[in-house]
Amino acid sequence: MGTQNPSAPPRAESALADNPTRTRRHGGGITHENTRHTTRFVVIGNHLVQHKELSLLAIGLGCHLQSLPTGAGADIKSLAARFPEGPTRIAAALRELEAHGYLRRERHRTETGRIVTRTVSCNQPHASRREPADTGCPPAKRTPLPPRRTGHKALPAVPQPSSTAPALLQTALDLLATLRRHDPRLLLSATDTAHLVPGVAAWLERDVTPGAVRHALTTGLPDEPLHRPAALLAHRLTDRLPPPPPFRTPSAAVPPPRHPLQNCEGCDRGFRAPGTESHCRDCRESRCPTPSASSRP
């Protein structure tokens, strides 16, 4: 009774199901062959790469964002062009990172008045809201955005054309109806289209081609979703309205000369002709008959 079993362990060993090193006892699992990096590397925390709630796509995307240099494109369009997952899955992964504090998207107004979205990648989620360290650089100036109104707001006024020709208005209507082919966010309602048609017609009557109007309306759009695309188009139609074409003096048509009325000295019939003519055309032809073919040389 007092003899202990030497082969028994001194205490029971626990085998936790979530212990990642358990398989090492059986010779399986992963091994590492590491080489020390000296250039072109980034330090990623295990709290991100081994996160238990993030999807594998979100973890990989978070690592990619932390490796990007400052100023690199990190919007959905740029990432979809870089990776094959597509904008829908990339947008979902960005929302995961944002929900867990690894990502923050802030809207800023530039000096030109354009609103842009800046993506902030956080390598420490719990420290993402801390005050920045004093680096000696002045803090970035942020202009607060106006509060969003929940009520329906009228669209801005658009330029009015001087002509209401049906062909001109139809061309403007067709142009607006096809904008969604260039950007799906520019899908307009019938009411918004009717409001914008005069503005497009005002451009067309200023010798601007439909292609140039379409380029002015669809180029340089913000990356974030367009909550009121018709308001943005109305602003562009007004703000970027080109000047009228240069005035061209219409060439005055020279009317044919009107000769005085006189009587023919041969038949006494009235006719108009220069003062040097005294006979009408019939009398002149009868006085000067056309030579016959036999008399021609």
Side-chain angles (χ1 to χ4, degrees), residues 79-100:
L79 295 173
R82 169 65 174 80
F83 298 104
E85 279 72 15
T88 302
R89 296 184 61 192
I90 288 177
L94 291 176
R95 288 193 295 268
E96 288 186 61
L97 295 173
E98 192 171 11
H100 288 84

Side-chain angles (χ1 to χ4, degrees), residues 62-215:
C63 295
H64 174 72
L65 294 178
Q66 292 191 22
S67 69
L68 291 177
T70 300
D75 56 280
I76 296 176
K77 185 183 297 184
S78 300
L79 295 173
R82 169 65 174 80
F83 298 104
E85 279 72 15
T88 302
R89 296 184 61 192
I90 288 177
L94 291 176
R95 288 193 295 268
E96 288 186 61
L97 295 173
E98 192 171 11
H100 288 84
Y102 289 98
L103 189 70
R104 190 168 70 251
R105 284 180 277 198
E106 302 174 347
R107 302 180 69 187
H108 296 263
R109 189 183 301 274
T110 63
E111 296 179 356
T112 60
R114 180 183 176 185
I115 297 177
V116 297
T117 300
R118 294 178 182 174
T119 302
V120 181
S121 175
C122 309
N123 65 347
Q124 290 285 356
H126 62 277
S128 61
R129 292 295 181 180
R130 294 186 303 181
E131 293 295 330
D134 186 8
T135 59
C137 299
K141 183 179 180 181
R142 298 179 181 177
T143 303
L145 297 178
R148 181 179 296 178
R149 299 180 180 178
T150 57
H152 181 72
K153 186 178 179 180
L155 294 176
V158 296
Q160 299 297 315
S162 58
S163 172
T164 57
L168 179 67
L169 299 180
Q170 185 62 44
T171 302
L173 178 63
D174 295 341
L175 189 151
L176 291 169
T178 57
L179 290 182
R180 61 178 182 268
R181 300 179 184 175
H182 300 269
D183 194 323
R185 298 175 298 173
L186 299 180
L187 178 60
L188 304 173
S189 66
T191 303
D192 293 341
T193 303
H195 178 83
L196 298 174
V197 161
V200 176
W203 281 56
L204 295 175
E205 72 175 2
R206 298 191 175 206
D207 290 346
V208 182
T209 63
V213 179
R214 185 180 300 108
H215 183 270

